[in-house]
Amino acid sequence: MFYGAPPHLFEKAKQLRQNMTESEQLLWNELRNNKLGLRFKAQHPIKNFIADFYCHKAKLALEVDGSIHQLEENKEYDIGRTFELEQLNIRVVRFTNQEVKTDIKKVMESIKAELFG
């Protein structure tokens, strides 16, 4: 479930859970407590990364990206990170902060489509 994540990532994940962005909080309110029939975990360590949200049963990682992800060096990092997660057969779906804030219903429909086809 954690794919060999090192111990220090668990502490970092705890800190991130306690300091979620507004967009992460909005999405978490829609995902928590098995609202979709599957359990998601917030700020979940996987290998050398922390996924914003992860459903182990569906092997689906959700990322909520702020404007910093538009910087070229961050785009390259995200591509590498997605590649490594896909090597573990984990699908990665990304949403922008703006998408989450302005159209959470559409975001949830996209997530349901990933989960249930």
Side-chain angles (χ1 to χ4, degrees):
M1 184 144 118
F2 300 105
Y3 301 92
H8 75 274
L9 275 189
F10 291 86
E11 184 58 38
K12 176 72 173 166
K14 181 179 177 182
Q15 292 170 1
L16 290 171
R17 279 191 297 276
Q18 293 169 347
N19 295 292
M20 281 195 223
T21 66
E22 178 185 357
S23 297
E24 289 170 341
Q25 289 174 356
L26 285 169
L27 185 53
W28 182 233
N29 285 336
E30 298 297 319
L31 295 172
R32 64 191 301 165
N33 299 324
N34 297 345
K35 288 180 183 169
L36 295 177
L38 292 168
R39 181 178 184 204
F40 277 86
K41 298 198 64 165
Q43 306 301 333
H44 183 77
I46 302 172
K47 199 172 178 180
N48 296 315
F49 310 107
I50 298 174
D52 289 338
F53 304 100
Y54 181 62
C55 176
H56 182 67
K57 188 170 185 173
K59 296 191 93 166
L60 178 64
L62 305 175
E63 294 293 324
V64 180
D65 294 340
S67 59
I68 195 164
H69 290 268
Q70 295 305 311
L71 299 174
E72 202 56 44
E73 61 268 18
N74 289 340
K75 285 182 183 181
E76 290 177 26
Y77 174 81
D78 288 343
I79 289 168
R81 175 182 163 153
T82 296
F83 176 80
E84 286 198 47
L85 292 173
E86 288 173 344
Q87 296 305 299
L88 300 170
N89 294 316
I90 296 171
R91 290 173 293 145
V92 179
V93 178
R94 296 183 171 281
F95 301 100
T96 65
N97 282 339
Q98 193 66 19
E99 288 174 304
V100 173
K101 288 179 185 177
T102 61
D103 201 350
I104 190 71
K105 183 177 178 181
K106 183 178 178 185
V107 167
M108 293 307 296
E109 290 303 318
S110 295
I111 294 168
K112 289 176 191 173
E114 285 291 330
L115 291 171
F116 307 114

